[in-house]
Amino acid sequence: MNHILVFEAVVLLSSVAMMSQTTPSKCAAAPSEIVASHLSGEITLDARQPAPEWQKAAAIVFCWNWKGQNPDQQRETGVRVLWSSQTLYLRFECRYRELFLFDDSDSNGRRDHLWDRDVAEAFLQPDPAREHYYREFEVSPNGMWIDLDIFPGGLADLKSGMKRSVFLDDKQQRWAAELAIPMKALTRNFDPKAVWRANFYRVEGNKEPRTYLAWRPTNTPEPNFHVPAVFGRLRFAAAGKGR
């Protein structure tokens, strides 16, 4: 597999093990809340060698399907969140069994229908009072991405200005992705005391039956991630506090 360079994302294939800050080795029952640790300034994205600030952020870990069943540690997923006044940062740490990737995208790495191959996804809802309005962000193991504005009856390109970095270790069957999302693309007036709603997902496979994993199970008869009623809570740690 060749090294791939995409706009604002570096994908490195290496036999080097992932950094020591990996997700726990066992997939335990996940909490219903994830806490974003505060940053006094901005950080540089580097999925292979993450900034030390990520150590402040506790990971939520999941490896079960969208019904909360059939846990699979080989598809374990960890998510960490950091925030500054300007940016929301997400880090995914993923184990996988097989890779199913698109080999084409727009020149900037954007790929429509990215969810038809392997992805990690974040659904973020800054205003829980507007239950059916939220933002969707996806990134693939080879650095492709898409960001969407979800609203009743449809969706639109968000054009958030999101940046990303991706590291793929095919020897260890792990990949990691870091996203930097401008706060202004998420909410007009960011209030760190507010509690957002959120959910995180993984998809693996290119044809049914595919693997659909969810932090907060949606419990739908068929795989469906668009169930905001089951989103978990996203809380922002106060300035000077990690969690």
Side-chain angles (χ1 to χ4, degrees):
M1 195 176 297
N2 295 326
H3 289 193
I4 304 171
L5 178 66
V6 296
F7 181 72
E8 291 181 330
V10 178
V11 182
L12 297 172
L13 307 185
S14 171
S15 61
V16 178
M18 293 285 282
M19 74 296 174
S20 59
Q21 180 197 334
T22 55
T23 54
S25 60
K26 290 187 177 181
C27 183
S32 59
E33 178 178 275
I34 185 169
V35 179
S37 293
H38 178 255
L39 296 170
S40 57
E42 306 306 313
I43 62 172
T44 299
L45 298 183
D46 189 337
R48 182 182 186 184
Q49 296 180 319
E53 287 84 352
W54 286 108
Q55 297 178 13
K56 298 192 304 180
I60 56 100
V61 181
F62 59 94
C63 66
W64 43 81
N65 66 15
W66 82 99
K67 290 187 174 183
Q69 301 171 352
N70 303 323
D72 182 353
Q73 291 185 19
Q74 190 55 45
R75 292 188 172 105
E76 185 177 86
T77 306
V79 184
R80 302 173 192 268
V81 188
L82 298 170
W83 73 274
S84 73
S85 60
Q86 301 297 317
T87 310
L88 185 76
Y89 294 91
L90 301 176
R91 179 176 171 85
F92 292 93
E93 299 173 2
C94 309
R95 301 179 66 190
Y96 68 88
R97 289 187 176 276
E98 295 183 79
L99 285 178
F100 301 91
L101 308 172
F102 284 114
D103 57 10
D104 65 310
S105 69
D106 295 345
S107 59
N108 63 356
R110 185 190 179 280
R111 188 27 161 110
D112 200 12
H113 288 266
L114 189 62
W115 52 86
D116 288 336
R117 297 293 187 272
D118 294 10
V119 290
E121 305 184 8
F123 286 23
L124 304 175
Q125 187 179 63
D127 185 358
R130 305 176 74 212
E131 182 179 1
H132 298 287
Y133 294 81
Y134 48 95
R135 309 286 197 261
E136 177 178 344
F137 301 88
E138 300 186 13
V139 63
S140 71
N142 61 342
M144 296 180 188
W145 63 275
I146 193 170
D147 57 358
L148 299 169
D149 187 16
I150 308 296
F151 48 84
L155 54 84
D157 291 343
L158 183 58
K159 299 179 180 179
S160 65
M162 177 183 75
K163 297 180 181 180
R164 80 266 183 226
S165 170
V166 176
F167 171 66
L168 173 59
D169 183 345
D170 58 343
K171 300 298 183 182
Q172 297 293 322
Q173 292 184 281
R174 296 175 181 267
W175 64 279
E178 294 180 2
L179 307 180
I181 306 168
M183 280 291 187
K184 63 183 181 181
L186 297 168
T187 180
R188 291 183 179 179
N189 299 296
F190 173 59
D191 178 5
K193 295 181 180 180
V195 178
W196 294 11
R197 302 295 301 282
N199 213 346
F200 303 99
Y201 308 100
R202 282 272 308 284
V203 182
E204 189 174 305
N206 62 351
K207 60 183 179 180
E208 301 298 345
R210 305 174 73 202
T211 299
Y212 298 89
L213 310 174
W215 170 42
R216 306 303 301 160
T218 62
N219 295 307
T220 53
E222 300 297 328
N224 180 9
F225 292 164
H226 293 273
V227 187
V230 305
F231 286 5
R233 296 184 303 274
L234 169 57
R235 183 170 58 81
F236 299 90
K241 296 183 178 179
R243 300 170 189 174

